[in-house]
DNA sequence: CAATTCGGGATCTGC
DNA sequence: TCCCGAATTG
């Protein structure tokens, strides 16, 4: 066992506060760490991993640590390795990357080919449309996301509970049809990366025991974002001897809309017996004046455990609420904040402008350059989602797996090869009848026209040449070296995959096609294709290399965009700021109807509050909140009332810029809580269904009465409606 | 089968 | 206002 300084603790433990130390040193039973924003949770997890290896002699391979984002996984890996280099051998991944690793390792048991590729939401929608040709694109998208949600809840097509949550007509049958179509491609969707491992672990005792024997310690970060399926995977992975430690903050759960269950964190101690709980409430990031505002917001939520953040940094000024005429003044105000900061010796990259919707970035993008403020836009249009990138990837995916119907549909006739809808369906139908090989079907299909025949055979020949360049399937990688989701070790003399990718893009005609698009529309498609080629340079030109490359691209979507590292202001949505911090933060667009939206229900409203809480707690030193009286919305100038969230902040916590704010309307909206019992002189008893600020009219309250009628009222103008109880 | 016009809808979005 | 998808037309 590694030595620690005599009579004391190892140096890397010094500097931890008592709660953090308790969390690191805890080792009996299981552990739930409730970690507030900025409380040093990543430090606790990484230190704990290093401590387990160094002081407890645990093999790095027996540790599994999962996060939700690649960024978080990379950071955890870096920080853990800087304390203890052998952490590189621990399994530190995202949930989905772990699922992919597990399924490739146990492909046969899962009924998959080991070269499977992963379908994203868009691909799932394509598959739905293939299964149900009569559906419109939006309908197919809705069904695809309902299916994804069902998988998030761990519900299979034969699950008895399916109807309880998914009331759509015929949902069970459609879900089942989608599943069989998906299985025929040999590929998986994102949900499968979680649910298939659960199934394998349940059904295969040998795999279950091997897995339990391997992972002695399982850690989960951002646990409040886990969904039911991930909870099931955690239970399936944890053997009787395993130590499970989860870290989360119920106040920062902002992904309910895609299946995240705060219940997972609340019921953790019941499911994992002997659980200790440690709360981290010391905040190392922000001044108390910022935390006070954040607390005043999140306190309004009912479904929470309850924590109080205390700042360790003393000082700091009161945050500013800027009341502005319109979105143009908002930009000008932000420029002033940036200038003032830079004049004090700060840099542009210290400042972040946060907003609710991506559309809001436009005003800033237009105005900041002329004001001499460089900016960096985060996460708007992602690299992998671009048309040209998806086209190129589809060719590669088909080369990797010739049963990939989605990829085939995408690129068989792109650029146009004279293969129309009829020919396409004929080829796919034939492939289905003969084991699924679409390339073989394309080569042999009895095409209707000579043109289609020629197109199909040239496409088939392209795929054949690509296959040849990739060579035969080589030996499976040694998966007992878990490593990061890194490229397989590469012989420096081996051909690089980038050569094959370049070949595919050129020979398929996609390069010419998109070059033409660039000239017509002034886009950057060819440059993006070049970037994709570069990204493939780290992989060998083999089937395994290709499959690893496709997985990395699919699972690490933050990939590239190029422009990092320069000194620029960050423009970012509130969702995207999770885990980040900035010395100076501006939260823009605090208008009712924009944030929160008027039609949000109660639970959505609580989630929006948590989102506001996340945004507020990104600020280290300086916080500005802006409200515009008027704003351009879909090309129209509209009047807006202040967000009801502003009324939830005690006024004395804020400095006002541009005049005091009349918050009476927003306050009134807060008073008429959804569900509150009311009495109306003419209509009798009822309850509030909805309360929304309504401009000059104050607040508009929708009431459902015992008589069965639902009516709207403006309390500002009627005295007949009164609140009986909340 | 490809090009053009027309109309509806428009949040956030991990992997 | 603007963008994407579907329908219509050549």
């Amino acid at each position: 066992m590694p030595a620690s300084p005599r009579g004391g603790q190892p140096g890397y433990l010094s500097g931890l506060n008592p709660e953090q130390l308790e969390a690191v040193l805890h080792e009996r039973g299981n552990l739930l760490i409730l970690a507030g924003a900025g409380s040093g949770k990543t430090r606790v997890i990484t230190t704990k991993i290093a401590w387990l290896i160094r002081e407890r002699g645990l093999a790095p391979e027996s540790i599994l640590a999962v996060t939700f984002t690649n960024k978080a996984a990379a950071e955890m890996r870096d920080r853990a390795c800087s304390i203890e280099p052998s952490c590189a051998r621990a399994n530190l991944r995202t949930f989905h990357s772990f699922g992919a690793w597990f399924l490739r390792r146990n492909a046969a048991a899962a009924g998959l080919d080991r070269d499977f590729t992963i379908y994203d939401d868009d691909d799932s929608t394509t598959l739905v449309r293939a299964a149900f040709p009569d559906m419109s694109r939006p309908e197919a998208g809705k069904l695809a996301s309902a299916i994804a949600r069902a998988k998030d809840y761990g519900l299979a097509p034969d699950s008895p509970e399916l109807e309880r949550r998914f009331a759509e007509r015929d949902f069970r049958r459609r879900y089942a049809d989608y599943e069989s179509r998906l299985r025929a491609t040999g590929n998986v969707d994102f949900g499968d990366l979680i649910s298939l491992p659960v199934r394998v672990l349940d059904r295969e005792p040998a795999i279950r025991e091997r897995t339990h024997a391997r992972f002695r310690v399982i850690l989960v970060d951002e646990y409040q974002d886990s969904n039911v399926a991930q909870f099931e995977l955690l239970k399936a992975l944890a053997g009787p001897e395993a130590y499970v430690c989860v870290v989360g903050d119920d106040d920062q759960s902002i992904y309910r809309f895609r299946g995240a269950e705060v219940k997972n964190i609340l019921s953790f101690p019941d499911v994992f017996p002997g659980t200790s709980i440690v709360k981290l409430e010391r905040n190392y990031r922000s001044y108390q004046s910022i935390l006070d505002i954040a607390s005043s917001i999140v306190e309004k939520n009912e479904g929470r455990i309850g924590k109080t953040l205390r700042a360790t940094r003393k000082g700091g000024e009161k945050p500013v609420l800027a009341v502005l005429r319109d979105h143009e003044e908002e930009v000008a105000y932000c420029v002033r904040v940036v200038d003032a900061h830079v004049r004090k010796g700060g840099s542009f990259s210290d400042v972040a402008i946060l907003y609710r919707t991506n559309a809001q970035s436009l005003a800033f993008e237009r105005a900041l350059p002329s004001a001499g403020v460089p900016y960096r836009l985060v996460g708007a249009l992602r690299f992998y989602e671009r048309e040209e990138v998806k086209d190129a990837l589809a060719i590669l995916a088909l080369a990797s797996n010739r049963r990939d119907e989605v990829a085939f549909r995408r690129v068989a006739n792109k650029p146009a090869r004279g293969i129309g809808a009829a020919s396409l369906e004929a080829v796919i139908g034939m492939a289905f009848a003969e084991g699924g090989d679409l390339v073989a079907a394309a080569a042999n299909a009895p095409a209707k026209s000579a043109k289609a025949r020629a197109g199909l055979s040239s496409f088939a020949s392209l795929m054949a040449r690509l296959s040849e360049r990739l060579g035969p399937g080589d030996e499976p990688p040694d998966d007992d070296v878990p490593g990061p989701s890194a490229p397989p070790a590469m012989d420096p003399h081996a051909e690089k995959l980038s050569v094959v990718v370049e070949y595919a893009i050129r020979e398929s005609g996609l390069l010419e096609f998109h070059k033409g698009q660039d000239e017509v529309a002034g886009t950057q498609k060819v440059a993006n294709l070049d970037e994709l080629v570069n990204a493939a340079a780290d992989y060998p030109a083999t089937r395994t290399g290709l499959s690893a490359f496709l997985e990395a691209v699919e699972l690490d979507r933050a990939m590239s965009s190029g422009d990092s590292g320069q000194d620029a202001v960050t423009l970012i949505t509130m969702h995207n700021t999770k885990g980040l911090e900035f010395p100076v933060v501006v939260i823009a667009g605090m208008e009712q109807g924009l944030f929160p939206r008027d039609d949000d229900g109660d639970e959505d409203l609580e989630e929006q509050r948590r989102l506001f809480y996340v945004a507020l707690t990104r600020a280290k030193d300086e916080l500005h909140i802006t409200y515009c009286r008027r704003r351009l919305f879909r090309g129209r100038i509209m009047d807006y009332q202040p967000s009801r969230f502003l009324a939830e902040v005690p006024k004395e916590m804020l400095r006002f810029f541009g005049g005091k704010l009349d918050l009476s309307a927003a306050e009134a909206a807060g008073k008429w809580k959804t569900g509150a019992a009311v009495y109306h002189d003419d209509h009798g008893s009822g309850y509030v269904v909805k309360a929304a600020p309504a401009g000059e009219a104050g607040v508009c309250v929708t009431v459902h009465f015992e008589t069965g009628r639902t009516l709207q009222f403006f309390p500002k103008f009627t005295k007949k409606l009164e609140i009986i109880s909340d």
Side-chain angles (χ1 to χ4, degrees):
Chain A
M1 195 155 309
S4 49
R6 192 176 298 270
Q9 283 165 345
Y12 61 92
L13 293 182
S14 68
L16 293 176
N17 69 40
E19 298 82 36
Q20 290 174 328
L21 192 64
E22 182 189 353
V24 169
L25 302 183
H26 179 274
E27 58 182 332
R28 289 199 204 288
N30 299 299
L31 181 64
L32 167 59
I33 304 173
L34 291 168
S39 63
K41 77 180 161 67
T42 305
R43 181 170 185 197
V44 168
I45 299 177
T46 54
T47 307
K48 190 174 182 82
I49 293 171
W51 178 80
L52 285 164
I53 294 171
R54 276 160 78 146
E55 262 63 49
R56 283 294 176 266
L58 217 72
E61 290 80 8
S62 65
I63 298 175
L64 170 63
V66 288
T67 63
F68 283 83
T69 67
N70 284 290
K71 204 167 67 183
E75 191 192 350
M76 192 181 288
R77 171 168 297 280
D78 285 350
R79 291 176 60 174
C81 288
S82 75
I83 306 175
E84 169 54 50
S86 71
C87 286
R89 280 154 45 214
N91 220 327
L92 308 184
R93 305 167 165 270
T94 65
F95 257 115
H96 289 86
S97 150
F98 173 79
W101 173 82
F102 182 90
L103 289 177
R104 280 198 210 286
R105 209 168 176 250
N106 301 292
L112 298 170
D113 195 278
R114 66 176 308 134
D115 280 335
F116 68 81
T117 50
I118 301 161
Y119 283 151
D120 66 13
D121 298 349
D122 211 50
D123 300 329
S124 293
T125 303
T126 303
L127 207 57
V128 167
R129 287 195 88 186
F132 307 102
D134 292 342
M135 279 190 189
S136 71
R137 169 101 222 190
E139 278 172 331
K142 269 188 198 142
L143 179 56
S145 74
I147 290 171
R149 207 78 326 119
K151 291 191 180 189
D152 285 345
Y153 284 104
L155 303 174
D158 60 359
S159 164
E161 286 177 70
L162 207 58
E163 270 90 10
R164 228 182 31 216
R165 210 181 274 268
F166 298 90
E168 292 97 338
R169 191 172 54 85
D170 258 359
F171 181 70
R172 183 186 295 279
R173 185 182 60 79
R174 289 175 167 170
Y175 181 10
D177 286 356
Y178 166 88
E179 279 295 276
S180 66
R181 194 109 190 177
L182 177 58
R183 293 287 83 89
T185 68
N187 287 347
V188 296
D189 60 21
F190 277 121
D192 289 339
L193 291 176
I194 308 301
S195 57
L196 291 183
V198 175
R199 195 176 309 167
V200 169
L201 287 165
D202 279 351
R203 293 183 185 172
E204 306 282 341
I207 296 175
R208 180 169 62 236
E209 272 154 35
R210 200 170 67 219
T211 306
H212 286 178
R214 168 154 182 182
F215 297 116
R216 319 303 299 199
V217 171
I218 303 176
L219 301 127
V220 185
D221 191 17
E222 302 281 11
Y223 188 66
Q224 75 283 353
D225 288 331
S226 64
N227 59 37
V228 171
Q230 286 159 337
F231 191 40
E232 284 174 359
L233 179 56
L234 178 61
K235 282 186 285 183
L237 284 171
E241 308 289 312
Y243 173 79
V244 179
C245 168
V246 300
V247 189
D249 179 0
D250 53 318
D251 290 332
Q252 292 190 70
S253 172
I254 56 174
Y255 289 110
R256 195 179 72 93
F257 65 92
R258 52 177 196 223
E261 276 286 341
V262 185
K263 272 188 221 130
N264 287 353
I265 209 167
L266 304 177
S267 63
F268 181 84
D270 303 328
V271 177
F272 292 89
T275 293
S276 309
I277 299 178
V278 175
K279 279 193 193 187
L280 304 181
E281 297 178 293
R282 301 191 200 199
N283 177 293
Y284 293 89
R285 180 185 295 152
S286 314
Y287 290 128
Q288 190 63 45
S289 57
I290 294 168
L291 298 180
D292 285 342
I293 292 175
S295 296
S296 73
I297 290 296
V298 84
E299 265 170 16
K300 303 285 187 298
N301 278 352
E302 282 167 16
R304 69 188 285 258
I305 298 171
K307 278 187 271 50
T308 311
L309 289 181
R310 288 185 316 277
T312 54
R313 296 172 64 214
K314 297 294 170 214
E317 306 222 339
K318 260 191 206 177
V320 179
L321 174 58
V323 181
L324 305 163
R325 192 185 64 234
D326 56 23
H327 57 282
E328 287 174 9
E329 247 188 27
E330 185 176 62
V331 177
Y333 180 81
C334 290
V335 168
R336 250 200 318 271
V337 168
V338 172
D339 281 347
H341 181 69
V342 171
R343 267 201 307 277
K344 275 188 292 188
S347 53
F348 290 116
S349 58
D350 291 340
V351 185
I353 300 172
L354 279 51
Y355 39 79
R356 177 75 177 92
T357 69
N358 277 312
Q360 287 167 260
S361 73
L362 204 68
F364 294 105
E365 289 179 72
R366 281 211 255 264
L368 290 182
S370 57
V373 175
Y375 68 84
R376 190 173 64 94
L377 192 66
V378 176
L381 229 181
R382 287 151 183 276
F383 184 70
Y384 69 93
E385 273 172 0
R386 292 167 206 222
E387 180 199 1
E388 63 279 14
V389 175
K390 287 216 77 170
D391 290 346
L393 290 173
I395 295 198
L396 297 170
L398 197 57
S400 179
N401 171 8
R402 305 172 122 202
R403 290 191 289 160
D404 190 333
E405 182 189 345
V406 171
F408 184 76
R409 283 178 184 276
R410 185 174 184 103
V411 287
N413 195 38
K414 190 170 186 178
R417 292 185 182 85
I419 308 167
S423 312
L424 200 69
E425 294 303 329
V427 172
I428 293 169
M430 189 176 137
F432 263 148
E434 295 176 7
D437 187 331
L438 291 154
V439 177
N444 305 324
K448 300 201 167 65
S449 68
K451 209 165 118 195
R453 174 105 203 81
L456 284 169
S457 84
S458 88
F459 185 70
S461 122
L462 166 71
M463 297 314 299
R465 278 175 285 150
L466 275 178
S467 278
E468 202 175 313
R469 301 199 70 155
L470 289 169
D474 37 24
E475 282 301 296
D478 177 7
D479 6 50
D480 273 341
V481 179
S485 331
M490 213 175 129
D491 173 355
H493 302 295
E495 190 183 29
K496 289 178 175 176
L497 184 63
S498 47
V499 177
V500 178
V501 175
E502 193 174 16
Y503 179 84
I505 293 172
R506 182 161 28 84
E507 291 294 304
S508 61
L510 282 175
L511 186 65
E512 274 303 307
F513 180 82
H514 288 297
K515 200 179 271 175
Q517 302 275 298
D518 278 353
E519 279 159 17
V520 176
T523 44
Q524 295 282 310
K525 292 172 188 284
V526 171
N528 289 331
L529 289 172
D530 286 343
E531 211 166 332
L532 186 71
V533 170
N534 292 338
D538 296 336
Y539 296 81
T542 61
R543 296 199 162 266
T544 315
L546 175 59
S547 144
F549 175 63
L550 290 172
E551 179 176 317
V553 168
E554 205 54 57
L555 292 183
D556 190 1
R557 317 181 129 199
M559 194 188 99
S560 116
S561 238
D563 56 356
S564 53
Q566 54 172 325
D567 185 27
V569 167
T570 300
L571 301 181
I572 190 169
T573 62
M574 297 188 204
H575 277 94
N576 268 323
T577 59
K578 183 97 103 41
L580 303 180
E581 59 178 29
F582 301 91
V584 180
V585 166
V586 181
I587 301 176
M590 292 301 295
E591 288 101 42
Q592 184 64 31
L594 190 63
F595 185 47
R597 281 163 66 98
D598 283 330
D599 51 6
D600 284 349
D602 256 17
E603 293 197 326
D604 286 322
L605 193 70
E606 296 219 341
E607 175 136 327
Q608 298 302 297
R609 257 195 212 103
R610 292 192 290 266
L611 182 59
F612 190 26
Y613 174 81
V614 168
L616 290 162
T617 52
R618 300 309 99 194
K620 292 171 78 172
D621 305 335
E622 203 178 309
L623 173 66
H624 301 260
I625 302 170
T626 65
Y627 153 66
C628 303
R629 290 197 189 83
R630 323 178 81 188
R631 174 183 294 280
L632 208 56
F633 180 71
R634 290 182 202 163
R636 282 222 128 72
I637 299 269
M638 304 271 283
D639 287 326
Y640 283 94
Q641 292 293 311
S643 166
R644 59 187 290 177
F645 292 158
L646 294 180
E648 296 175 358
V649 180
K651 288 182 193 56
E652 61 277 10
M653 291 186 183
L654 293 162
R655 272 185 293 157
F656 285 82
F657 173 92
K660 283 265 176 183
L661 196 54
D662 178 17
L663 287 165
S664 54
E667 270 166 5
K671 204 171 75 182
W672 296 90
K673 288 203 188 73
T674 305
V678 295
Y679 183 84
H680 189 278
D681 290 350
D682 301 337
H683 303 283
S685 304
Y687 64 92
V688 175
V689 179
K690 180 176 147 181
E696 297 293 301
V699 58
C700 174
V701 182
T702 308
V703 179
H704 184 78
F705 289 101
E706 282 173 1
T707 60
R709 300 183 71 187
T710 301
L711 299 165
Q712 296 191 327
F713 303 93
F714 295 97
K716 190 171 171 185
F717 304 122
T718 178
K719 292 283 162 269
K720 291 182 174 179
L721 191 69
E722 60 177 315
I723 298 173
I724 307 296
S725 73
D726 284 350

